Amino acid sequence: MACSAGGVIRLDMPSSPRYVSLARLVVSAVARGLDFSEESIDDLKIVVSEICTNAIIHCEPRREEQRIQLICCPRPGALTVEVRDSGQGFDPSCVGTFEEGLAAGKGFGIPLVRSLVDEFELESDHGKGTVVRVTKYDRLPESPPGPR
Amino acid sequence: MTDPNSQQTVLEIGYSRLGDYVVIELEGEVDVYTAGKLRDAIREKVEEGEYRLAVDLSKVAFLDSTGLGVLVGGLKRLNPHDGKLAIICDNERILRIFRITGLEKIFTIFPGAQALTETRAGD
C-alpha cells in the first residue's frame, strides 16, 4: 500500500469484542485527519466494526490467544484499511447477501461493508486466516454550476 | 458512547411504558461488545409476556450489523406470539443503516414516541 507522508498507522489488538470500539476510534481519527466528511467517517466506523467483528468470530474457539491487526494507509482523499486475523479462515464464496442475512438473522456484515466502500478485497482460506482490505474515497460536495 | 477511561463501548438500557407497548430505551453504542445486553433485554420482556415492544434508538450513537441482527432476532422471537417490535428513531445516521440493509421494510419505524402513540390510536 502506498501511503502519504504521514505513513501507515497500525493497531495490534487482542481478538476481543471490547477492543472493537478502539479500532473504530483509530480509523475515525485517521479519516478526520484527512478531512473526510462526517458521513464518510461514519461509513468507515461501521466498516471497521463489521470487519473486526468478523475477525473475532473467525478467531473462535481459541479467541483469547489470537490477535487482530488493523492497518490504516492514508492518502489524500482516500483511506485504505486492512484487517488481518490469524483465525480459522473461511470460504469467501460463502458470503451471502442482505436477503440471506435477513432470513438467517445474521450475516449482514460483509454485504454492508461492500455497500459502504469503493474497493473491497477479501483473502481467506481454511486454517490460513483472513485479510480484508477496503478503500474509501471521500466524496466532496459537488461544486455549484458556474456562470454561463 | 465510549467510556473515556477504558475506550470500551457503553450501552445503557432503560424501560418505559407507552400504552400497551414496552419501550426499551437505548443510549450509547450497539456493537459486538454490547449487543448481548439488548438481546437479553428483549428476551426478558418477551418472557415476562410483553409482546409489544418498541426499541428507542434515538440516543444511539452507533449501530452495526450485530445490533441489527439482535433486532431481527427479537422480531422472530415475537412472531409466534403475534407480537410487534417497533423502532423509534429520528437519527439519520442510524436510519441510513436500516435503509441500506433493506430493514426499513421489515420494521415499522417511528420518528418519536409521540408518533407511535398516534399510530396506535389509528390501529
Side-chain angles (χ1 to χ4, degrees):
Chain A
M1 288 187 284
C3 296
S4 59
V8 175
I9 294 99
R10 295 174 191 272
L11 174 67
D12 184 293
M13 60 185 197
S15 173
S16 169
R18 72 177 60 197
Y19 294 105
V20 173
S21 62
L22 180 61
R24 289 200 297 270
L25 193 68
V26 168
V27 168
S28 62
V30 174
R32 194 156 274 125
L34 290 170
D35 288 329
F36 269 37
S37 66
E38 287 303 318
E39 185 171 302
S40 291
I41 293 170
D42 283 347
D43 288 352
L44 282 163
K45 286 167 70 176
I46 293 168
V47 164
V48 165
S49 202
E50 300 296 347
I51 299 173
C52 288
T53 299
N54 282 348
I56 291 165
I57 293 167
H58 299 155
C59 287
E60 297 284 1
R62 295 186 305 164
R63 195 184 74 203
E64 296 300 332
E65 301 170 20
Q66 311 274 3
R67 299 189 71 82
I68 294 170
Q69 283 82 43
L70 174 79
I71 303 161
C72 298
C73 179
R75 289 168 286 154
L79 178 56
T80 297
V81 179
E82 186 174 293
V83 177
R84 293 176 169 266
D85 71 66
S86 53
Q88 59 191 351
F90 67 102
D91 179 358
S93 67
C94 293
V95 174
T97 62
F98 283 132
E99 290 74 20
E100 288 164 343
L102 197 57
K106 60 179 182 178
F108 303 104
I110 294 296
L112 184 56
V113 169
R114 283 183 190 273
S115 70
L116 294 176
V117 298
D118 298 291
E119 295 171 16
F120 176 89
E121 296 173 65
L122 191 159
E123 301 165 20
S124 187
D125 206 352
H126 286 294
K128 296 181 179 174
T130 301
V131 179
V132 179
R133 192 178 302 110
V134 297
T135 298
K136 176 83 174 170
Y137 297 97
D138 193 26
R139 299 276 185 260
L140 299 174
E142 287 185 17
S143 302
R148 297 187 176 186
Chain B
M1 186 164 54
T2 302
D3 184 332
N5 297 317
S6 65
Q7 292 303 339
Q8 290 176 9
T9 316
V10 176
L11 179 66
E12 304 290 344
I13 299 183
Y15 303 94
S16 62
R17 184 170 283 281
L18 196 64
D20 48 2
Y21 273 84
V22 170
V23 182
I24 301 173
E25 300 162 336
L26 307 184
E27 184 170 1
E29 299 185 329
V30 188
D31 68 0
V32 66
Y33 189 60
T34 60
K37 285 179 75 173
L38 174 58
R39 186 182 297 111
D40 290 347
I42 292 173
R43 184 172 56 213
E44 277 175 26
K45 289 301 163 192
V46 174
E47 285 174 358
E48 289 170 10
E50 302 288 354
Y51 301 138
R52 287 186 173 230
L53 304 180
V55 178
D56 189 344
L57 301 174
S58 303
K59 294 181 181 175
V60 167
F62 180 84
L63 175 83
D64 67 12
S65 73
T66 309
L68 293 176
V70 170
L71 294 173
V72 172
L75 205 55
K76 289 183 173 179
R77 189 178 288 274
L78 285 163
N79 276 346
H81 305 284
D82 198 23
K84 291 187 177 180
L85 195 152
I87 302 295
I88 299 173
C89 186
D90 61 354
N91 181 341
E92 184 53 34
R93 286 180 171 184
I94 303 299
L95 292 173
R96 192 162 157 261
I97 304 303
F98 279 85
R99 279 198 297 274
I100 291 170
T101 54
L103 288 175
E104 61 171 359
K105 297 170 190 164
I106 305 298
F107 291 101
T108 307
I109 302 177
F110 298 92
Q114 181 67 29
L116 177 64
T117 313
E118 288 166 0
T119 300
R120 283 187 56 250
D123 271 351

